[in-house]
Amino acid sequence: MSSPLLSVQDLSIAFINSNQTQSQVVSNISFDIHEQETLALVGESGSGKSVTALSILRLLRKEQVIYPTGDILFEEKSLLHASEKELREVRGNQISMIFQEPMVSLNPLHTVEKQLYEVLSLHRGMRRNAARSEILQYLDRVGIKQPENKLSAYPHQLSGGERQRVMIAMAILTHPKLLIADEPTTALDVSVQAQIIQLLKELKNELNMSMLFISHNLGIVKKLADKVAVMQQGQIVECNNKQRIFLRPENEYTQTLLNSEPNGEPVPLPENPGILLNVNHLEVEVTTKKRLFSSLKKKIVDNIGFAVHQGETVGIVGESGSGKSTTALAILRLIKSQGDILFDSYSIQDLKGKALLPFRSYMQVVFQDPFSSLNPRFNIEQIISEGLSVHNKMNKSDREQAVIDIMLEVGLDPDMRFRYPSEFSGGQRQRIAIARALILQPELLILDEPTSSLDHTIQRQIINLLKSLQEKHQLSYLFISHDLSVIYSMCHKVVVMKDGKIIEQGSREQIFYSPENEYTRTLLSFLDKPPRPKVTTKTLVYQDKIDQMDAKEDHKEVKKVNWEDALLMRKE
């Protein structure tokens, strides 16, 4: 058999602490990747997957890392002992990498075209005119709609899924021999995930490319990988071909991973669930082009409406760029919109500044990327308690006790409150974000892809946490996700969006069991294991209650808001 393209041999990785001690994060791991072979590296957050991938290209800061044992060979040449000049020849040209967090990896000051052109100019010596057609071709291949309109866009003007696709295009432009893909489909909906998997398969054959594929999504791993290496606490506990891993796993930890898919039922609804949030005829327009005497506007949310009842979870699903997150921002009054937004029958659509402030504490949000949404200069106590200083008058000791209490409630050790976000794993950072939102005792929590960047074992923990908090505090959730298995586990009602419009909405059972729209059926066809819901008498009773409450709410008069009176709305 021919020698492997990449060979990791007995590799150990350790970080040097500020007191010059060493913390070993990877211990004596070995694996090989041959030509046109895909090895998937799976395991929990913090198991050492990304650190291993970054070490292959020597992207970890050399002042902070050492390699006590082992070597990394690419085409039988050592990368650990290569010079900077030799590494520059390999990076990008022969080995490319798709990073996990595109918002951090993309330059916020450069347009999409400039960043992709830089890759082609540096690695393939292409001129701008020739590069443009290549850029458009690859943006189209990774599923960017109307790519010519995205060339002048900056990263913040793209959705999370679009930014991820730009990163994938950037990595494959150079036709590398080895592609390292670190969670490349994390922010993508199921239909685009299928496109990306198919694209990676085609490129693998077309370019004779090999892949190191890092993912927590075992459904994708099953479709894409040839071999699977399972990591736990810095060690490879099992490595074998795909069929053996999925059909006859030997290690107990591997078995746990395979059995950690989201499951279960939504939290039971309260006895008389009145409407907490009512959205009608909501529209959001953006200016796409500015001219001398006019501007071109486009509706990205177009005449949508839905309701969220007390204690209910409403899921919003749809492709990246369909308007899910924009809808959430409009409801939170963080962007301009038209239409009616009623919170507990109070119209908040036209409120601003001081008049809107009381409602801010009732509606809180947990964002998709906890690392980007947490201030890296604040410690955890400062992050969690920041809202209290705005909305409540608490002395220092009461504020500290409130932080301790909420950290315990979300499963965090209060002794860690003086640490910074960079010192926590992805799952812990998401718990911090949830604690920051819950400390204000909200009635509605908007969750924007809260589990998309988490592996399945941590994802399951967060889902169980959200359910227990909802049951305890009678919270209402607006749950935005592209993961249909999570939506099924969490939500009472599902709203399906496409191109800024709601194309279908209904109970969980109706959407998953008997969808009416072709697009909804297409989305559900990508589910690895379609759920088999049981419509019980209890479920029908809940639905009947909601229908009755909706009928009553239709005749309810909208309250005019006096913001001083609104301060008294919260129950003691």
Side-chain angles (χ1 to χ4, degrees):
M1 192 175 181
S2 60
S3 58
L5 179 70
L6 179 79
S7 181
V8 175
Q9 302 175 350
D10 196 35
L11 180 68
S12 296
I13 305 169
F15 288 118
I16 302 171
N17 301 319
S18 55
N19 58 4
Q20 297 305 306
T21 59
Q22 296 178 16
S23 299
Q24 192 153 308
V25 292
V26 172
S27 302
N28 307 99
I29 66 168
S30 299
F31 60 84
D32 294 334
I33 302 177
H34 291 82
E35 287 187 5
Q36 282 194 288
E37 184 177 60
T38 299
L39 172 74
L41 206 54
V42 301
E44 289 183 351
S45 175
S47 62
K49 306 186 302 293
S50 295
V51 169
T52 301
L54 291 168
S55 296
I56 291 169
L57 285 173
R58 299 266 303 279
L59 294 177
L60 297 170
R61 291 181 61 182
K62 58 184 179 182
E63 302 87 4
Q64 295 182 338
V65 66
I66 60 169
Y67 303 94
T69 66
D71 204 351
I72 302 170
L73 303 180
F74 180 72
E75 293 185 325
E76 300 185 335
K77 294 179 182 176
S78 173
L79 294 178
L80 281 190
H81 302 100
S83 66
E84 280 299 318
K85 183 180 178 181
E86 290 170 324
L87 286 171
R88 281 196 297 270
E89 288 295 317
V90 173
R91 291 172 182 155
N93 287 319
Q94 298 179 65
I95 304 178
S96 281
M97 186 163 183
I98 303 168
F99 294 96
Q100 186 171 354
E101 295 174 344
M103 194 60 182
V104 177
S105 306
L106 294 173
N107 191 323
L109 302 177
H110 292 171
T111 64
V112 168
E113 182 177 19
K114 185 170 182 179
Q115 297 189 60
L116 293 175
Y117 170 66
E118 187 178 8
V119 173
L120 290 173
S121 173
L122 185 64
H123 295 287
R124 291 173 58 186
M126 293 182 74
R127 296 189 175 182
R128 188 172 292 274
N129 289 338
R132 174 172 276 223
S133 61
E134 187 99 347
I135 289 168
L136 287 171
Q137 177 190 341
Y138 274 86
L139 287 177
D140 181 64
R141 289 195 74 179
V142 297
I144 296 281
K145 295 177 182 177
Q146 300 177 325
E148 60 279 356
N149 295 336
K150 304 294 184 183
L151 292 180
S152 59
Y154 291 87
H156 71 274
Q157 295 173 308
L158 304 176
S159 70
E162 287 172 330
R163 287 194 291 266
Q164 192 69 284
R165 280 174 269 180
V166 169
M167 282 294 301
I168 293 169
M170 189 180 292
I172 61 179
L173 273 171
T174 58
H175 302 168
K177 293 180 180 178
L178 175 66
L179 178 66
I180 301 174
D182 190 358
E183 301 281 6
T185 59
T186 290
L188 306 181
D189 53 84
V190 285
S191 58
V192 180
Q193 278 182 3
Q195 294 172 24
I196 296 300
I197 291 167
Q198 186 58 36
L199 172 64
L200 291 174
K201 284 181 177 178
E202 290 172 4
L203 288 167
K204 177 181 166 183
N205 296 327
E206 186 181 310
L207 305 175
N208 292 323
M209 189 172 68
S210 304
M211 266 194 290
L212 175 60
F213 190 85
I214 298 170
S215 181
H216 63 261
N217 190 322
L218 297 175
I220 292 175
V221 167
K222 190 187 294 185
K223 294 171 184 174
L224 194 60
D226 301 307
K227 291 192 307 189
V228 180
V230 182
M231 288 193 74
Q232 183 188 25
Q233 297 178 352
Q235 295 181 317
I236 291 180
V237 296
E238 189 166 1
C239 185
N240 218 317
N241 63 60
K242 174 179 64 178
Q243 290 77 12
R244 185 66 181 265
I245 291 290
F246 280 95
L247 294 176
R248 294 194 302 277
E250 297 175 0
N251 188 273
E252 185 179 346
Y253 175 70
T254 308
Q255 295 166 8
T256 301
L257 280 183
L258 293 172
N259 293 324
S260 60
E261 291 281 340
N263 58 14
E265 299 290 313
V267 169
L269 286 166
E271 284 299 314
N272 295 299
I275 291 180
L276 182 65
L277 176 73
N278 203 350
V279 177
N280 294 302
H281 309 295
L282 186 69
E283 294 185 350
V284 178
E285 279 188 340
V286 293
T287 302
T288 54
K289 287 185 180 178
K290 289 186 177 180
R291 296 171 182 167
L292 187 57
F293 297 108
S294 65
S295 61
L296 187 63
K297 292 190 175 181
K298 179 186 176 183
K299 285 184 182 178
I300 54 175
V301 172
D302 188 3
N303 193 28
I304 70 168
F306 59 88
V308 181
H309 292 75
Q310 292 165 345
E312 182 184 35
T313 302
V314 175
I316 302 183
V317 300
E319 291 181 356
S320 176
S322 62
K324 306 187 300 294
S325 295
T326 303
T327 298
L329 293 174
I331 291 168
L332 290 164
R333 304 289 295 114
L334 295 176
I335 58 174
K336 289 182 180 180
S337 62
Q338 293 79 44
D340 297 323
I341 303 172
L342 306 178
F343 183 85
D344 197 20
S345 301
Y346 286 85
S347 176
I348 63 171
Q349 173 63 35
D350 298 319
L351 297 184
K352 295 179 182 177
K354 199 174 182 180
L356 186 60
L357 187 61
F359 293 92
R360 294 283 192 207
S361 64
Y362 310 149
M363 298 186 291
Q364 287 292 296
V365 61
V366 176
F367 292 102
Q368 178 175 350
D369 181 1
F371 193 67
S372 297
S373 65
L374 301 178
N375 191 328
R377 293 188 177 93
F378 282 12
N379 64 35
I380 301 311
E381 183 177 57
Q382 291 171 315
I383 288 170
I384 294 175
S385 66
E386 190 176 12
L388 290 176
S389 61
V390 177
H391 294 282
N392 288 310
K393 293 179 180 178
M394 272 190 181
N395 59 44
K396 186 177 179 181
S397 61
D398 288 344
R399 200 157 53 232
E400 185 177 17
Q401 187 58 50
V403 171
I404 291 170
D405 291 343
I406 200 66
M407 286 185 73
L408 287 169
E409 193 163 7
V410 300
L412 290 170
D413 183 355
D415 291 340
M416 299 191 295
R417 65 187 184 278
F418 302 114
R419 296 185 188 177
Y420 290 82
S422 60
E423 300 177 68
F424 292 87
S425 69
Q428 288 172 321
R429 286 197 288 262
Q430 199 60 286
R431 289 175 186 267
I432 293 164
I434 293 170
R436 176 178 60 181
L438 288 181
I439 200 167
L440 291 172
Q441 301 174 6
E443 294 168 25
L444 174 69
L445 200 57
I446 296 179
L447 301 151
D448 190 359
E449 301 278 11
T451 61
S452 66
S453 61
L454 307 177
D455 55 79
H456 280 180
T457 51
I458 305 299
Q459 192 179 79
R460 194 170 187 172
Q461 293 172 22
I462 296 297
I463 290 169
N464 290 336
L465 170 66
L466 290 170
K467 285 182 178 180
S468 66
L469 291 169
Q470 183 176 34
E471 195 162 23
K472 181 178 179 181
H473 301 292
Q474 292 296 292
L475 291 167
S476 299
Y477 291 151
L478 185 61
F479 198 97
I480 298 168
S481 181
H482 63 262
D483 192 329
L484 295 173
S485 59
V486 172
I487 289 287
Y488 181 77
S489 172
M490 282 289 301
C491 301
H492 303 91
K493 189 164 66 183
V494 182
V495 175
V496 185
M497 290 189 70
K498 188 177 190 296
D499 299 329
K501 296 181 180 180
I502 292 177
I503 60 169
E504 187 169 5
Q505 62 177 303
S507 68
R508 179 187 70 152
E509 286 75 17
Q510 178 190 327
I511 295 298
F512 277 86
Y513 234 18
S514 54
E516 296 175 0
N517 191 276
E518 182 61 34
Y519 174 72
T520 309
R521 288 195 287 268
T522 302
L523 280 183
L524 292 170
S525 69
F526 293 108
L527 269 175
D528 199 35
K529 292 180 182 177
R532 300 186 177 221
K534 296 178 181 178
V535 183
T536 62
T537 305
K538 186 182 274 190
T539 303
L540 296 174
V541 169
Y542 289 148
Q543 191 58 46
D544 187 50
K545 282 180 184 175
I546 286 177
D547 292 340
Q548 289 174 18
M549 293 304 296
D550 284 350
K552 289 179 184 177
E553 293 284 343
D554 285 342
H555 303 289
K556 209 171 190 179
E557 186 180 347
V558 175
K559 301 172 188 175
K560 293 180 181 179
V561 174
N562 179 314
W563 70 269
E564 292 174 327
D565 293 339
L567 284 171
L568 303 175
M569 281 175 58
R570 178 169 302 285
K571 298 178 178 66
E572 291 296 333

